[in-house]
């Protein structure tokens, strides 16, 4: 990777701050929309349209109202599977990367803002806008992540990635604090109205701070080169085919990617269904849920920073493995949580917050070390298929478990399989060999 850093323009502090700003922008979507408000709100909207059997029919398919949100998340991922790698190929071959970032980010933010019309029994509108927002979110994240190898060298990536993730939690926490204040001020009688406008506020937040990021991010030369006489879009398709064919030459990179796809599917599922579990199984009020998620946001800020420091001493690979052990313990503790007992839920949320951001931030930076130069965005397109907000197996399994058993306790415990299998796979990855095989220089500490 040394040659890559020497050939790439040096990043300035202003460029890195602009990059951090996008994490600040999108964390509000993750915290306010996906984690807190939309799951329970969309479920309530669907319940108004449900028949006596408690089902709604989506394109003729019967769906339990409590499963609609998680099924929609899974559907959005299936739709992004062919899209995200193509977005990566386009980004690597374009010298206007930040325009792609702006395009997808504004589509996602606009879809969230349009949820102002999600009233009455319009559950199909809600599901459709969630599909659009999550697909655009994933596409923008591919372009955003691909900046990391250009902004930080091998020994700095864990620190830069962890700090960016930590900054994001502060941004998401600030907006969530404002939404919580509105809920407390207006009371539970106006909870539905607060939920809808809180969702809209996250879309506005996403759009505003995307603009801040775009103004400061550089338009660097295309890392994969540009072909004379060919369109970027056409070259993107050709480059994607080449990447998929040549990926077999980097089996260790693909093996780490497979491990990440497994354990991160578990992480994203827990994040996505936390409020559904608290609402339907633990019978906790929305204000308790929001206060817990808010606590998690600020604990995660410190956790991401802390795990970045730990990785500097013990290496990202070992630190990620240790965080997965904590995740296994946390999910196991979620099963016996008593209903109507907010303290237990809050304490469990604090435990999760410690490893939440760091496990994802370090995975992002470790993967960057294993990507062949010139294919950063393309490989992040594959990576993002199960990254922030785009997991699909976990939500699908959770939704099926609920529909078959009518209890969220068995549904939440089903996510353990992802953490256990992902940890085993991660421990089998020869990380240093994977980095060298990709043609990069390993960091001093792994």
């Amino acid at each position: 990777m040394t040659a890559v850093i020497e050939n790439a323009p040096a990043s300035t502090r202003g460029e890195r701050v602009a990059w951090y700003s996008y994490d600040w922008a999108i964390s509000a979507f993750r915290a306010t929309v996906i984690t807190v408000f939309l799951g329970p709100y969309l479920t309530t909207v669907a319940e108004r349209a449900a028949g006596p059997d408690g089902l709604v029919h989506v394109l003729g398919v019967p769906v339990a109202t409590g499963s609609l949100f998680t099924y929609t998340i899974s559907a959005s991922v299936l739709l992004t599977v062919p899209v995200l790698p193509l977005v990566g190929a386009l980004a690597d071959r374009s010298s206007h990367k930040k325009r792609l970032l702006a395009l997808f980010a504004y589509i996602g933010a606009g879809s969230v803002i349009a949820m102002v019309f999600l009233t009455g029994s319009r559950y199909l509108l809600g599901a459709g806008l969630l599909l659009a927002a999550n697909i655009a979110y994933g596409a923008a994240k591919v372009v955003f992540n691909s900046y990391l190898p250009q902004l930080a060298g091998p020994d700095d990536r864990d620190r830069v990635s962890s700090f960016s993730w930590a900054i994001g939690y502060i941004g998401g926490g600030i907006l969530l604090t404002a939404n919580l204040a509105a809920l407390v001020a207006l009371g539970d009688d106006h909870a539905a109205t607060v939920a809808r406008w809180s969702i809209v506020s996250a879309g506005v937040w996403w759009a505003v701070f995307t603009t801040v990021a775009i103004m400061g991010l550089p338009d660097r030369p295309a890392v994969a080169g540009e072909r004379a006489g060919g369109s970027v879009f056409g070259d993107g398709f050709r480059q994607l085919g080449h990447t998929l064919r040549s990926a077999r030459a980097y089996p260790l990179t693909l093996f780490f990617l497979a491990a990440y796809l497994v354990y991160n599917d578990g992480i994203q599922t827990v994040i996505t269904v936390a409020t559904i579990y608290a609402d339907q199984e633990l019978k906790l009020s929305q204000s308790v849920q929001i206060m817990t998620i808010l606590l998690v946001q600020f604990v995660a800020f410190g956790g991401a920073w802390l795990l970045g420091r730990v990785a500097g001493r013990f290496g990202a690979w070992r630190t990620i493995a240790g965080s997965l052990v904590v995740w296994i313990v946390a999910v196991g503790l979620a099963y016996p949580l008593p209903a109507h007992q907010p303290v237990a839920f809050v304490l469990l949320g604090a435990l999760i917050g410690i490893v939440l951001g760091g496990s994802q931030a370090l995975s992002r930076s470790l993967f960057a070390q294993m990507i062949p130069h010139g294919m950063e965005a393309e490989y992040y397109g594959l990576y993002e298929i199960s990254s922030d907000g785009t997991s699909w197996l976990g939500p699908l399994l959770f939704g099926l478990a609920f529909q078959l058993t009518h209890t969220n306790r068995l549904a939440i415990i089903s996510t353990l399989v992802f953490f256990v299998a992902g940890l085993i796979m991660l421990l089998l990855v020869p990380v240093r060999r994977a980095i060298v095989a990709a043609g990069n220089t390993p960091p001093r500490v792994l």
Side-chain angles (χ1 to χ4, degrees), residues 22-337:
Y22 190 72
D23 250 331
W24 176 284
I26 55 176
S27 288
F29 171 71
R30 294 297 308 151
T32 292
V33 180
I34 299 298
T35 305
V36 177
F37 285 106
L38 188 56
Y41 185 73
L42 184 58
T43 299
T44 300
V45 171
E47 286 172 349
R48 298 191 192 114
D53 56 359
L55 300 175
V56 292
H57 293 78
V58 181
L59 302 178
V61 178
V63 175
T65 56
S67 299
L68 177 63
F69 177 69
T70 53
Y71 284 173
T72 304
I73 293 289
S74 295
S76 71
V77 177
L78 292 176
L79 292 173
T80 60
V81 167
V83 172
L84 299 190
L86 175 60
V87 170
L90 291 172
D92 280 338
R93 301 192 70 80
S94 173
S95 57
H96 302 290
K97 185 181 292 187
K98 70 178 183 179
R99 295 184 187 177
L100 285 175
L101 175 60
L103 171 65
F104 294 121
Y106 289 137
I107 290 174
S111 299
V112 176
I113 294 171
M115 290 185 189
V116 69
F117 301 109
L118 182 54
T119 56
S121 58
R122 300 173 180 170
Y123 69 94
L124 286 177
L125 174 64
L129 290 173
L130 175 57
L131 281 174
N134 223 30
I135 292 170
Y137 174 93
K141 197 71 181 292
V142 168
V143 183
F144 169 71
N145 284 340
S146 69
Y147 271 97
L148 179 58
Q150 296 178 301
L151 296 179
D155 292 317
D156 293 327
R157 284 179 194 153
D158 290 342
R159 177 183 58 82
V160 170
S161 182
S162 296
F163 185 73
S164 176
W165 219 289
I167 287 294
Y169 281 117
I170 294 295
I174 289 174
L175 183 62
L176 198 55
T177 300
N179 292 329
L180 174 60
L183 183 62
V184 171
L186 295 176
D188 287 342
D189 290 342
H190 299 279
T193 300
V194 172
R196 182 162 61 93
W197 285 104
S198 294
I199 291 168
V200 172
S201 73
V204 174
W205 183 283
W206 187 357
V208 169
F209 288 103
T210 291
T211 303
V212 174
I214 293 303
M215 291 175 63
L217 280 172
D219 253 339
R220 294 180 179 272
V223 295
E226 294 183 278
R227 183 178 301 173
S231 70
V232 172
F233 191 75
D235 284 352
F237 273 107
R238 285 187 287 270
Q239 183 64 23
L240 174 58
H242 172 73
T243 298
L244 295 177
R245 290 190 299 270
S246 64
R248 290 174 295 179
Y250 307 101
L252 299 181
T253 298
L254 295 181
F255 190 67
F256 172 80
L257 179 61
Y260 172 77
L261 296 182
V262 171
Y263 70 73
N264 194 62
D265 213 304
I267 293 174
Q268 295 306 317
T269 302
V270 172
I271 296 170
T272 301
V273 304
T275 52
I276 295 177
Y277 188 69
D279 180 61
Q280 299 183 10
E281 197 68 38
L282 303 182
K283 309 301 181 185
L284 299 177
S285 68
Q286 192 168 58
S287 59
V288 170
Q289 297 171 39
I290 297 176
M291 284 189 289
T292 303
I293 298 301
L294 185 59
L295 172 67
V296 170
Q297 288 288 118
F298 291 107
V299 171
F301 165 77
W305 177 84
L306 175 63
L307 263 64
R309 301 277 294 187
V310 172
R313 178 163 183 170
F314 298 102
W317 179 63
R318 294 183 182 88
T319 305
I320 295 169
S323 74
L324 293 181
V325 173
V326 177
W327 273 106
I328 291 170
V329 172
V331 173
L333 292 173
Y335 178 80
L337 280 183

Side-chain angles (χ1 to χ4, degrees), residues 339-421:
H340 307 289
Q341 296 294 325
V343 174
F345 183 68
V346 170
L347 291 176
L348 182 60
L351 177 62
I352 289 175
I354 295 172
V355 292
L356 176 59
S359 54
Q360 298 174 84
L362 293 175
S363 296
R364 176 172 66 181
S365 57
L366 183 58
F367 185 62
Q369 312 280 12
M370 305 179 190
I371 301 174
H373 175 51
M375 299 181 178
E376 287 83 0
E378 297 168 51
Y379 273 78
Y380 271 120
L382 300 173
Y383 176 92
E384 193 63 29
I385 288 173
S386 186
S387 190
D388 235 18
T390 54
S391 59
W392 67 281
L393 276 175
L396 179 61
L397 180 60
F398 186 94
L400 287 172
F402 174 80
Q403 186 154 348
L404 294 174
T405 66
H406 304 288
T407 172
N408 284 301
R409 293 190 185 275
L410 291 178
I412 197 71
I413 206 69
S414 69
T415 61
L416 274 177
V417 65
F418 297 101
F419 294 104
V420 174

